[in-house]
Every structure is written in structure tokens, then in C-alpha cells.
Amino acid sequence: MFSRRPISARLSRCGLRTVRICCDLHSSADVVISGGGMVGAACAAALAKLDVTKNKKILLLESAPKRSIEMKPEYSNRVVALNPSSVNLLEKIEAWETIAKHRYNPVYRMKVWEACSDASISFEDPGGQPLSYLVENDLVQKSLNAVLEHCNNLTVIYGRKVEKYSLPEDAHENLPETDVKIELDNGDTVETKLLIGADGNRSLVRESLGCDSMSWEYKSMGVVGTLELAEETENNTAFQRFLPTGPVAILPLSRRYSSLVWSLPTNQAKEKMNMAEEDFIAELEKSLWDGSNKNELVNTAALGLDVMLKSLVGERHTELPHRIKGVKNRAGFPLGFIHSTRYVGPRTVLIGDAAHRVHPLAGQGVNLGFGDVETLTDAVRDCLRDGAGLGDRSYLLQYESSRQRHNLPTMFSIDSLHRLYSTTFTPVVLARTLGLQITDSLSPLKRLLISHAAA
């Protein structure tokens, strides 16, 4: 279907064949994924590799031009903490082998503490398995792009923006008679039986569905960068400290380098990004070690509980953040929250940031998106195996129900944590301090938290 020649948009056809598409071309595909970022590309690869889609035409639309991703010796400032379920997905679609050939770092422990009291909590898998794996965004994208190029039933269009999505008007039908119509910015049109919106938090697909969403901005930014440690060391522990201005996280990349994610009010974030390197490091070290925000009344009140818990469970190993020598590649991005009230519509479904956007304090953003991919892939497989038509609303609703049951508690827990630790009000500080102390002493509860984060 994508074989006519001439001008404008270039296609990268899986199977390493390149073709062009002319203007005013009308074409069709069984499935169209809009958005070729990490989640969209993973979805395209996962669907293309299903046994039931071998004879289906799958199209991935990416508005950005095609680029060659070359991994440099120095680390990128944007990384993801992939949980075990995300790694399993990447292994299943044969993307993890590219990552494994380059670099990643397992995280075996996590230490969390706050600035207003001495309370802290540590996480570690009882079986000694990694809690997560730190990988650069570019490397994940590179590995997924490599997979896409070897899927013979998949076509990728780069550098083409969507002007409009026209959804079926018989939306009340379980399987609408008409298809979704997609109009591209060069005049081409594509019709599809199933449209998957993976087009980010400003999703045109979500807007076209007309569904409501809960959203707000945190009026803060995430400052990111690559930290050089003062000396080489075993570096497999992630550190996070909650400050009244927002959390600061140090994530291990290698024996010598870590990644920084520091949430700050927008004006402070911009100031930090423009600081001289020495001044920035001094401010960062202060955010990790400074005790000026500690509430001595809370610490005194919590001391008795701490002594009792230690007598029951014993002393716990305390690991401290490593000293920092340098910082490179500082940048910032705005922080916000979005959750679409619906993930599905007529022959249409949302995944990733198009459906939900969350604060980065728990590192769950891309993991939620990859979880969407896994569940949606299962729904499409079941739909075709049962002989139903692509886009059958009953199967899409199963996806929506399953993912909302997982995503909503996760997202609101993260948002609640952010708000809980943004205040210095003494009764709140005392309550969260006692709660953290008790949680840290209850191994079954911590295992439950680890299990949910890994799913």
C-alpha cells in the first residue's frame, strides 16, 4: 500500500527498504500508532511481533525527522529507571540485547529520607535481584528503533505531523462500521481500524477523543544532569531526599557517574541551571546534607518509637550518598500531572503520556507506559484470536479497566507523596515521620511496595 513514489515524506520500511510517499496519497493500515517515542516504538514492535498480526499492516507515525542515535562516551542527562516488568517487555521484543551490548546499571538498593526529621526508609529485594535498571533514554530509543527496522509488517513514517483525526461517528457501536481517518500535514490521508495515541502529554489523539482529563502544573521544574563522583566506588544504590522545595534524587549510572533529578520551584531551578559548576555542587551537597530544616520537636517525639523498633528489628545498615566532584549537561523540564478520564474511544486507544503524566519522584513515568503496551498487546492478541475485529470496543475497555486499576493508585500515591513532603507543618511532619519509621520496620509491607513498583 505504501509503494507510490515521489516528493516529501520519507518512510523507513522495516526490512531495511526505503520508499517515498507522494502528496495526496490515500492509504490504509490495520493499526496506526501515533508517536514514535519510547512507548510508541515499543508498542509498534510488540504488536508487529504478535503471531496474529503477521499479515496485518502496522504503521508508526513520528512527527520528528529520522535521526541516527550514536552513543557517546559521556552519559546523557536523561535516563529512565526501568522496573523488572519493563525489562521483560524489552527482552520479549528483542530490544534489551542492544542495551546490554552498550551500558546499563542495576539498582540493588534505594535509600529515602527527608529534610525535616531523621526518619528514613531503605528498599532492597529479599532475593537479591535489582529493583530497577538505569538506562539512558537515547539508548532505549536506539534499541527500539533497531527492532522496528526488522519487522516486515511494520512501516515507519518520519517527519510528518498529523493535522486532524476523524473518528467514527457511530461511536455507540461496539465495532464502528467506519474507520479512523488521519490527515497528514502534506495532504496525505490514512485510514485505520485501530488508532493508538502515543503522542505525549499534549496529545492530539486525546483531544480528538474529547475526553476530560485531570491536570495541573506543579509550578516547578526537574533539573537534570550527570554527576561525576569524587572517587570510583560500588555504585548500585539510588538516593532520594525529600525537601520542602521538592525531592532530589541521585541515581547510579556506573562506578564513577550518577544521574541527578532535582525538583525545584521554577525560579530556583532556572537559577541553579545558570550557576557556576562549583556553586551548583555546593548547593546540591547542601540539599543532601543540610539539617537546618529539621524539626527537633518531631525528632524528640519520634525517638521513643525509633528505640522500640530497633529493639524489635535491630539496627539497619545506613548507606550515605557519595561525594560529588563535577556536574555536566545540566537542563530542566517542567513538571505536571495529567490523567485522562478515558483511555479508549471509537477504534481509538491512548497509551503512555497521552493517557497519563506523573511527577518523576518515583521514576514510574515510562514504566506506566510500558505497562500500557503490555496490556494493550494482550488485548489485541485476544481480540484477533477470538475472531473479533480490530478496534472492538469490548477488548479496548478490558485494557482501559486493567490499566486504570494500576495507574490511578500509583499516580495519586506519587502526587500525595509530593504534597505530603512539601510542607513543614509540625503535625504533618510528625505523622509522616512516624509512618515512615513504622513502614521501614515492616518487611512484608515493603515487599508489597516493591512488588507494586515492579509491575
Side-chain angles (χ1 to χ4, degrees):
M1 196 52 100
F2 298 99
S3 58
R4 294 175 60 184
R5 291 191 180 262
I7 63 186
S8 67
R10 175 164 297 183
L11 288 181
S12 172
R13 176 76 177 182
C14 293
L16 307 180
R17 183 165 66 87
T18 300
V19 298
R20 289 175 181 269
I21 289 209
C22 68
C23 287
D24 301 321
L25 174 64
H26 181 83
S27 56
S28 65
D30 295 293
V31 181
V32 172
I33 301 99
S34 180
M38 290 186 287
V39 173
C43 186
L47 290 175
K49 287 180 173 291
L50 289 174
D51 290 339
V52 292
T53 61
K54 294 303 180 186
N55 296 319
K56 301 294 183 183
K57 295 175 183 177
I58 300 173
L59 175 63
L60 175 62
L61 298 174
E62 169 53 42
S63 60
K66 185 177 182 181
R67 66 186 180 103
S68 177
I69 301 175
E70 300 297 331
M71 301 308 298
K72 300 176 181 178
E74 65 180 38
Y75 285 90
S76 166
N77 59 12
R78 297 302 299 270
V79 303
V80 289
L82 299 175
N83 65 22
S85 292
S86 293
V87 173
N88 288 339
L89 172 66
L90 295 176
E91 288 178 336
K92 190 186 302 183
I93 62 177
E94 301 176 312
W96 185 255
E97 58 189 53
T98 300
I99 295 172
K101 288 177 182 177
H102 286 78
R103 59 193 181 198
Y104 68 91
N105 199 47
V107 178
Y108 287 99
R109 294 168 297 279
M110 185 172 185
K111 169 72 178 294
V112 181
W113 73 109
E114 72 151 300
C116 295
S117 76
D118 292 329
S120 67
I121 188 170
S122 298
F123 295 96
E124 188 171 0
D125 183 82
Q129 296 301 307
L131 299 174
S132 62
Y133 301 78
L134 265 293
V135 188
E136 294 152 280
N137 289 23
D138 278 351
L139 182 51
V140 176
Q141 190 70 56
K142 179 183 178 71
S143 72
L144 290 167
N145 291 350
V147 173
L148 298 181
E149 294 206 347
H150 293 88
C151 301
N152 293 320
N153 55 344
L154 171 66
T155 299
V156 183
I157 299 181
Y158 291 99
R160 276 287 154 256
K161 294 184 179 180
V162 175
E163 292 288 337
K164 183 181 179 182
Y165 298 102
S166 298
L167 306 185
E169 294 183 359
D170 48 343
H172 61 284
E173 297 291 336
N174 210 39
L175 188 63
E177 292 184 6
T178 55
D179 293 344
V180 176
K181 183 179 179 181
I182 305 167
E183 299 175 31
L184 303 181
D185 60 355
N186 66 338
D188 294 349
T189 62
V190 182
E191 290 191 2
T192 184
K193 298 181 182 306
L194 177 60
L195 169 64
I196 300 172
D199 50 341
N201 65 75
R202 295 180 179 178
S203 170
L204 180 58
V205 178
R206 185 181 69 237
E207 182 182 322
S208 301
L209 277 173
C211 49
D212 295 328
S213 61
M214 296 174 285
S215 65
W216 51 81
E217 298 297 324
Y218 287 110
K219 297 181 181 179
S220 59
M221 297 181 71
V223 176
V224 295
T226 303
L227 305 176
E228 182 181 2
L229 306 182
E231 58 184 17
E232 284 195 16
T233 181
E234 179 186 344
N235 192 20
N236 297 110
T237 301
F239 298 96
Q240 182 164 260
R241 191 185 194 196
F242 283 96
L243 303 161
T245 51
V248 55
I250 309 293
L251 310 173
L253 291 174
S254 69
R255 291 182 60 84
R256 194 60 189 258
Y257 293 96
S258 289
S259 184
L260 169 69
V261 184
W262 190 359
S263 301
L264 289 161
T266 301
N267 60 334
Q268 293 185 33
K270 292 179 178 179
E271 179 185 326
K272 296 285 192 296
M273 286 188 287
N274 292 320
M275 279 182 173
E277 183 179 24
E278 288 184 3
D279 295 335
F280 181 86
I281 292 173
E283 287 294 306
L284 177 57
E285 295 272 13
K286 181 180 177 182
S287 74
L288 294 171
W289 300 97
D290 181 56
S292 61
N293 286 311
K294 285 191 176 180
N295 187 316
E296 292 306 324
L297 179 63
V298 170
N299 277 338
T300 301
L303 181 61
L305 177 61
D306 187 52
V307 171
M308 182 184 71
L309 292 174
K310 284 180 180 178
S311 69
L312 294 174
V313 299
E315 291 279 353
R316 295 189 179 274
H317 171 68
T318 300
E319 190 172 357
L320 301 175
H322 309 296
R323 291 293 180 181
I324 299 162
K325 177 181 178 182
V327 58
K328 298 178 182 177
N329 304 324
R330 274 176 282 171
F333 59 93
L335 305 179
F337 179 101
I338 294 175
H339 187 265
S340 178
T341 55
R342 290 189 288 125
Y343 289 6
V344 305
R347 292 191 179 276
T348 307
V349 61
L350 301 175
I351 62 173
D353 283 1
H356 42 73
R357 176 190 181 199
V358 69
H359 194 287
L361 70 87
Q364 288 298 302
V366 75
N367 290 315
L368 294 180
F370 284 156
D372 294 345
V373 170
E374 187 85 51
T375 304
L376 180 59
T377 303
D378 290 344
V380 170
R381 182 196 59 221
D382 293 344
C383 171
L384 294 176
R385 280 184 179 174
D386 293 346
L390 272 171
D392 189 303
R393 192 180 185 89
S394 61
Y395 290 87
L396 299 183
L397 286 173
Q398 291 176 23
Y399 155 79
E400 178 184 72
S401 176
S402 174
R403 289 313 295 165
Q404 289 201 350
R405 281 199 304 268
H406 179 86
N407 293 344
L408 275 169
T410 301
M411 294 177 67
F412 282 108
S413 294
I414 292 170
D415 181 70
S416 297
L417 276 175
H418 169 72
R419 296 178 188 279
L420 179 66
Y421 281 93
S422 295
T423 181
T424 58
F425 186 48
T426 297
V428 176
V429 175
L430 178 61
R432 73 193 188 205
T433 295
L434 298 178
L436 200 63
Q437 285 178 304
I438 293 171
T439 302
D440 190 45
S441 67
L442 298 176
S443 296
L445 179 55
K446 290 205 291 184
R447 284 197 294 271
L448 184 63
L449 294 172
I450 291 171
S451 176
H452 183 82

